[in-house]
Amino acid sequence: MSSKFFIAFCFVFLALLLQFSLGETSGVWISFTLAALITASFFTDFLELFALTLTAVFVLNWQPVISYELLVIGSLPLAIFFARKLVPFKAWLSNLTMILVAIVIFYASFGIRPVPASRAIFLWDICLSLIFGTAICEVMQFV
């Protein structure tokens, strides 16, 4: 187990805590976990990312039935793991781009209809997820 995996695991756990605490208190669910998993896809190998993704999906929904949302959340970091070499930017900009793309794909996979109804929540989700992902990326680059 590498030190980057341990740090990525801590950030995914922090993201889950933030997502649950903010979601329970305000009713707004920000994609912190997705941002943490996307960032981890740039710094971990495939098996480590797969373990992180399975852990996050299990914590997000511990029931035996997997939902469409969790399938999308679980597949996006793995897809970005394979697509990360195709993005010709520096690591922090690639990370920002992929988080933005992942959140847009996540919302688009349920239809565009929820976005116009709650533009403010959608924009807050993007802004806070990008900030959180950038902070994780900076720490992971330092390590």
Side-chain angles (χ1 to χ4, degrees):
M1 181 167 75
S2 67
S3 63
K4 286 192 177 190
F5 173 74
F6 179 72
I7 293 169
F9 179 80
C10 290
F11 278 123
V12 169
F13 185 72
L14 175 65
L16 287 164
L17 287 175
L18 285 170
Q19 190 165 333
F20 281 124
S21 63
L22 187 64
E24 290 295 324
T25 57
S26 69
V28 177
W29 294 86
I30 305 296
S31 303
F32 291 123
T33 305
L34 185 59
L37 289 171
I38 298 299
T39 305
S41 71
F42 284 94
F43 297 100
T44 59
D45 65 14
F46 181 75
L47 290 177
E48 292 173 342
L49 179 64
F50 188 71
L52 286 171
T53 303
L54 282 180
T55 301
V57 167
F58 179 73
V59 171
L60 286 171
N61 182 22
W62 52 269
Q63 299 174 0
V65 178
I66 190 161
S67 68
Y68 179 70
E69 293 170 336
L70 293 177
L71 188 63
V72 172
I73 288 173
S75 63
L76 282 173
L78 300 176
I80 288 173
F81 175 81
F82 293 111
R84 68 184 178 179
K85 299 294 181 192
L86 301 174
V87 182
F89 308 124
K90 294 201 181 271
W92 67 270
L93 188 56
S94 296
N95 184 46
L96 282 176
T97 304
M98 289 300 177
I99 290 172
L100 179 63
V101 167
I103 292 173
V104 170
I105 289 172
F106 179 72
Y107 276 91
S109 68
F110 301 107
I112 295 296
R113 187 164 181 89
V115 175
S118 57
R119 282 191 194 121
I121 293 173
F122 177 68
L123 292 175
W124 272 109
D125 189 359
I126 288 176
C127 290
L128 292 176
S129 296
L130 289 175
I131 291 168
F132 186 70
T134 301
I136 295 172
C137 184
E138 290 300 318
V139 171
M140 295 294 283
Q141 282 181 337
F142 182 72
V143 172

